[in-house]
Amino acid sequence: MVAPTSETTAIDAPPRRPVHRSGRWIDHWDPEDPVFWRDGGRRIARRNLVVSIFAEFLGFCVWAIWSIVVPQLPAAGFALTADQMFWLIGLPALVGATLRVPYTLAVPVFGGRNWTMISAALLLVPALALVWVVQRPETSFGVLLLVAALAGLGGGNFASSMANISFFFPEKEKGAALGWNAAGGNLGTAAVQFVVPLIIVTAAGVSLQRAGLVFVPFILLAVILAWRLMDNLGTAKADPRSFGVAAREKHTWVISFVYIGTFGSFVGFAGAFPTLLAREFPDVTLSLAFVGALVGSVTRPLGGWVADRLGGAVVSVASFAVMILGALGAIQALGTGSFALFFSSFMLLFVATGVGNGSVYRMIPATFRVAKVGGGGAATAKAAAGCIGIAGAVGAFGGFLIPRGFAMSNSLTGSLVPALWVIIAAYVVMALVTWAVYGRRGSAMGAARV
């Protein structure tokens, strides 16, 4: 047997730098190797992260665009009932939630760079469709629904963007990278609610087509940046089995249920808030509506940071308690007609949903480490990964349920108060479930401070 020489060792050893081939594909990617990470890996990963944040930001803008367009439709000549308006607000959330799992699986199939280009380019469809339809007040409600549903394409971008970035970073930096990616995307909701009211007002009245046109050049820029600056990873492999493993675990569905209350509330309230303001306080400028989505976005990292120190279950239960207080305040405000109380109560709701989003996501890996699902560490990691995808999709359905709840409440009683009481009851149940399964000292999860 011939002893390996330094030359054969150098030849047989795996490369310590990214190995590129045509089409901006990287065949060797090992961010856990400190040398690899230092000698080019970190720079490439951060470059991809920056472009990913920009593309995802635009995805959220398009996803939320109808939330700020709908309150302006009557001024543009559309005759819509309250129920129809809430349908237009909620449908993009329903479509976006449904697309999250296939969008996640698309990244390894097409490549992260390629799919970012495709998914960003697809945003032109809902943007240009909106430009066309808002100039035609005679359009049927069915066509309006179809065009609003197209905005759900932006909701799928979050899942594919998070999946792609997770492949680029080592475990010790993955949390921060995904946190930046998520926060940057969520800010798109606040941005669209801030920008659209400013640009649609003209001397001749409301020019709603500008709400779609303003994003067209930015979408094209995102496609170009992804083409020029992003990379595909040949090592990123699709594993649909992770969804199957996670689906068989009860904790996946418990966490998904709880996430409806946090992320679903954020999406639902952010979508409905402009219409609620226009309906209940018509003298108040809609330019204030963006503040809710803004505070909900920026407090998400805070929730993860506090959960790392106190435990995700404790912080999640506290978030639900604060959300209950916020909803009670909103009920009181509707009874007294106090805008100050109404606005501050919803800000409290948004802060609590942001903190709860961060704490629930922190619970997922901790829960599956403690649960030690059958098959050992590999199965545990696979179940946790699948749970993140399933919970993200299920939680987003709350963005549809809340607007529909408001619509039903208004149709049946002429008031939003019954819907808020139902939401409060749901928060109570979610808090009790979280505490019983993950927070009690007597439970295995509680002892591990999930």
Side-chain angles (χ1 to χ4, degrees), residues 239 241-242 245-246 368-369 372-386:
D239 191 1
R241 293 174 299 175
S242 65
V245 173
F368 283 95
R369 279 199 302 269
K372 294 181 179 178
V373 295
T380 300
K382 187 176 294 185

Side-chain angles (χ1 to χ4, degrees), residues 25 39 177 196 257 260 264 350 397 412:
W25 282 89
D39 293 349
V196 168
F257 172 66
I260 292 174
F350 279 114
F397 281 107
L412 295 174

Side-chain angles (χ1 to χ4, degrees), residues 76-232:
F78 289 83
L80 298 170
T81 65
D83 183 70
Q84 289 174 328
M85 293 175 77
F86 280 118
W87 265 111
L88 293 174
I89 293 168
L91 193 57
L94 179 65
V95 175
T98 305
L99 289 176
R100 285 193 161 198
V101 171
Y103 264 57
T104 298
L105 298 175
V107 170
V109 174
F110 294 94
R113 165 186 176 263
N114 295 346
W115 184 250
T116 301
M117 291 167 57
I118 294 170
S119 59
L122 285 173
L123 298 177
L124 290 170
V125 177
L128 294 175
L130 184 146
V131 171
W132 177 81
V133 79
V134 296
Q135 299 180 78
R136 292 165 174 78
E138 71 280 3
T139 302
S140 68
F141 178 62
V143 174
L144 278 176
L145 272 180
L146 176 61
V147 174
L150 292 173
L153 292 170
N157 280 21
F158 175 85
S160 58
S161 178
M162 294 289 277
N164 182 45
I165 292 304
S166 70
F167 290 120
F168 275 93
F169 284 83
E171 287 298 326
K172 65 178 182 179
E173 297 186 33
K174 191 171 293 187
L178 293 177
W180 280 107
N181 202 50
N186 287 353
L187 284 172
T189 303
V192 73
Q193 292 180 352
F194 175 74
V195 170
V196 168
L198 298 178
I199 66 170
I200 62 175
V201 178
T202 66
V206 174
S207 181
L208 269 183
Q209 65 269 23
R210 292 185 178 185
L213 287 173
V214 70
F215 292 106
V216 171
F218 294 103
I219 292 170
L220 294 174
L221 177 61
V223 175
I224 293 171
L225 289 176
W227 171 56
R228 294 291 297 168
L229 299 177
M230 292 189 73
D231 302 280
N232 302 305

Side-chain angles (χ1 to χ4, degrees), residues 302-313 315 358-360 362 449-450:
L302 175 65
W305 181 81
V306 176
D308 283 338
R309 286 148 181 79
L310 302 180
V315 177
S359 63
V360 172
R362 186 269 182 194
R449 208 181 73 169
V450 168

Side-chain angles (χ1 to χ4, degrees), residues 331-414:
I331 291 173
Q332 179 68 20
L334 290 172
T336 61
S338 170
F339 168 72
L341 180 58
F342 184 83
F343 188 79
S344 60
S345 296
F346 263 90
M347 292 307 103
L348 195 62
L349 275 166
F350 279 114
V351 168
T353 59
V355 171
N357 287 337
S359 63
V360 172
Y361 250 54
R362 186 269 182 194
M363 288 168 57
I364 294 174
T367 294
F368 283 95
R369 279 199 302 269
V370 175
K372 294 181 179 178
V373 295
T380 300
K382 187 176 294 185
C387 178
I388 289 174
I390 292 173
V394 173
F397 281 107
F400 172 76
L401 295 175
I402 286 179
R404 290 309 307 151
F406 284 140
M408 293 174 63
S409 178
N410 181 75
S411 298
L412 295 174
T413 69

Side-chain angles (χ1 to χ4, degrees), residues 274-291:
T275 298
L276 297 181
L277 281 180
R279 173 186 170 83
E280 302 297 331
F281 302 95
D283 296 332
V284 175
T285 174
L286 276 183
S287 60
L288 287 175
F290 84 97
V291 181

